[in-house]
Amino acid sequence: MLNTPSKKIYIDPPSPAYYEDKLFDTSNEVLNRDDTLVPFLELQIKKKEQGIDVHTADFLLNQDYIEGGGDYYSLGVLDNYKALVNRDDIHLKAFVIFEPPVVDPTLYKALPDLTAAFDQVYVHNLIGDGYSLDSVDTTKLRQLYWPQPRHEVIEKYWERTDRQDRIVVINGNHIPRRVPNELYSKRIEAMASLAKLGVVDLYGRGWNKWWSRASMWLPYWKHRKALMSIYKGACESKYEVLSQYKFSLCFENMAMSGYVTEKIFDCLYAGVVPLYLGASDIKDLIPADVYIDCREFSSWQEMCSVIEKISPEEIQRMRKNGKLFVSSKKGAKYYNSLINIFNEDIGIR
């Protein structure tokens, strides 16, 4: 009796650095920083249990024919799928758009072609908030929940009690595209205002590199002196740094419906209260009692005055609510997101 070749899944990662199956290599300290590769390894393991091999797309692109056939998934890579459209052995299953228009607008301009080629296209919202639905096959669009590496807090960080009564920011220095609702400039504005009040510390790469392209825009230079006064350098572990503070300025890169990234989850994992600005529908996605909504304040000084009056009991209540959410069914939408994209029969709903 002949063995039937098993079907294979090929994932096109956001960078060739993840080729040669490095997308699943959680032992790689550079690529797996803060456990970002854990969901992909768990996906590979679960599929292996089903008799399906999962590899990065370089193993597909180097072959003219895949015996037994294969499914192709792209994590935001536009360069390769057109060469696969007419192959009988390959099925274009899903294209996943992680980046918002402020980071990569070309992905959204390509939506008409993507929805024509793939079975499903995952985006942050289905209503065209932040992008155009013109000529897009909206029946192919699916809601993306940003995959998270864990469904429980990191106890050694969450339990920490010797926290500074200050605000921490962990972000790299970047220059945004000129699109409506970008929050890069708002983040800098907030940090500069809070710097004057002496209540904020900044961590991340590139803020001291005034000569870099990322620094070549007005908000950076307008507030550079204030930014340098609060800059503490890069950090090896964001969880370790977050756990040293009571509050974290948690801004997405863009205000867009459904766009909720790892930033607020990082705060919850480490037990720091998020000062959130980003998704307009955040209260529908994350319980309102685990974060402070920055839209409620008319100024950063007002926000600072309010959080200074929050009692230790209230802070602890918010932390516990965040802990409960992470391990809840609603939180599992994010933890199981990747599994659900690749196999809708698996995962908690």
Side-chain angles (χ1 to χ4, degrees), residues 12-25:
D12 216 344
S15 166
Y18 297 97
Y19 278 173
E20 298 179 343
D21 278 354
K22 292 178 182 176
L23 183 66
F24 317 103
D25 184 7

Side-chain angles (χ1 to χ4, degrees), residues 137-338:
D137 183 350
T138 56
T139 66
K140 300 283 192 72
L141 297 182
R142 300 291 185 273
Q143 177 79 42
L144 173 65
Y145 298 96
W146 197 284
Q148 297 303 318
R150 49 182 53 85
H151 57 87
E152 56 189 16
V153 301
I154 308 174
E155 289 291 346
K156 71 174 182 177
Y157 297 127
W158 194 91
E159 292 285 357
R160 189 167 182 168
T161 57
D162 57 333
R163 296 173 182 262
Q164 300 180 62
D165 195 9
R166 296 173 60 78
I167 301 168
V168 65
V169 186
I170 303 180
N171 275 104
N173 180 29
H174 302 285
I175 184 171
R177 308 283 182 133
R178 292 185 177 181
V179 302
N181 299 321
E182 60 86 6
L183 292 179
Y184 291 78
S185 55
K186 183 69 71 174
R187 185 186 293 126
I188 289 179
E189 172 196 307
M191 290 191 294
S193 296
L194 295 170
K196 294 177 182 179
L197 301 173
V199 297
V200 65
D201 294 326
L202 167 63
Y203 294 82
R205 300 182 186 277
W207 292 100
N208 57 332
K209 296 181 179 180
W210 57 265
W211 62 90
S212 71
R213 182 184 177 278
S215 301
M216 297 303 163
W217 66 311
L218 182 59
Y220 175 87
W221 283 99
K222 181 180 178 181
H223 299 293
R224 184 174 187 275
K225 184 176 180 180
L227 293 172
M228 290 302 95
S229 72
I230 62 174
Y231 185 49
K232 304 297 182 181
C235 62
E236 291 302 317
S237 168
K238 56 186 174 183
Y239 301 130
E240 168 63 32
V241 172
L242 286 168
S243 72
Q244 299 173 29
Y245 294 82
K246 290 184 179 179
F247 301 97
S248 175
L249 201 67
C250 179
F251 286 16
E252 306 291 3
N253 293 331
M254 181 177 178
M256 182 173 71
S257 177
Y259 177 51
V260 177
T261 68
E262 81 287 352
K263 293 179 176 65
I264 192 167
F265 283 88
D266 291 341
C267 294
L268 303 182
Y269 293 148
V272 59
V273 176
L275 307 174
Y276 185 83
L277 187 62
S280 56
D281 57 346
I282 182 64
K283 64 180 177 59
D284 297 326
L285 300 167
I286 310 290
D289 56 4
V290 311
Y291 63 90
I292 294 171
D293 192 336
C294 290
R295 294 175 299 179
E296 296 179 357
F297 309 107
S298 60
S299 69
W300 303 116
Q301 185 170 357
E302 180 190 356
M303 182 193 74
C304 191
S305 298
V306 169
I307 66 173
E308 284 178 347
K309 297 174 183 176
I310 299 178
S311 68
E313 293 77 18
E314 178 65 10
I315 290 176
Q316 184 67 356
R317 184 186 68 81
M318 295 182 72
R319 283 169 21 88
K320 287 183 176 179
N321 288 337
K323 186 177 186 179
L324 289 172
F325 165 70
V326 167
S327 59
S328 71
K329 187 174 181 179
K330 194 170 184 179
K333 286 184 178 180
Y334 294 88
Y335 173 68
N336 288 315
S337 174
L338 204 62

